[in-house]
């Protein structure tokens, strides 16, 4: 990841960026890092990987968009309204 012209090296399970106030984007390993997510006061998680089943159901509300695939046949736009409502309700 590049920040202010310098690459920041972080462990894969701490690779998270705040893209908007209290809205983060991360990878699968980080979404399983319970201490980090609790420290950041994360309450909701959206996942778009069919293999990434919710690991911490007691700690977070999840939206799993498992119908999304990384190919040309996938219409990701059809999932956006549901995901936007979920994120808006989290705030």
């Amino acid at each position: 990841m590049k920040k202010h012209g310098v690459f920041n090296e972080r462990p894969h399970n701490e690779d998270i960026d705040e893209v908007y106030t209290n809205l983060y984007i991360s990878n699968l390993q980080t979404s399983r890092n319970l201490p980090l997510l609790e420290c950041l006061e994360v309450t909701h998680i959206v996942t778009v990987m069919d293999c990434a089943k919710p690991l911490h159901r007691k700690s977070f509300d999840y939206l799993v968009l498992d119908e999304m695939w990384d190919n040309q046949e996938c219409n990701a736009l059809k999932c956006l309204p549901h995901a936007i409502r979920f994120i808006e309700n989290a705030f």
Side-chain angles (χ1 to χ4, degrees):
M1 167 193 327
K2 197 170 185 179
K3 187 173 187 177
H4 305 294
V6 178
F7 282 95
N8 294 331
E9 299 267 340
R10 293 185 284 194
H12 289 300
N13 71 341
E14 294 179 6
D15 191 9
I16 191 167
D17 291 294
E18 189 171 26
V19 294
Y20 187 78
T21 305
N22 296 322
L23 181 63
Y24 300 91
I25 190 167
S26 72
N27 60 26
L28 177 61
Q29 292 87 355
T30 302
S31 74
R32 295 178 171 174
N33 184 339
L34 184 58
L36 175 64
L37 300 177
E38 289 176 335
C39 179
L40 294 172
E41 298 181 356
V42 169
T43 59
H44 293 67
I45 296 176
V46 177
T47 181
V48 295
M49 296 178 63
D50 64 327
C51 65
K53 302 302 178 202
L55 186 61
H56 305 292
R57 287 189 182 271
K58 293 181 180 178
S59 299
F60 308 108
D61 289 327
Y62 284 88
L63 173 62
V64 179
L65 301 173
D66 56 1
E67 66 272 11
M68 291 185 63
W69 295 88
D70 190 14
N71 62 43
Q72 293 179 356
E73 289 81 39
C74 176
N75 182 2
L77 293 177
K78 73 177 184 176
C79 298
L80 285 181
H82 189 193
I84 290 169
R85 280 191 304 275
F86 181 82
I87 293 168
E88 286 176 340
N89 288 334
F91 285 100

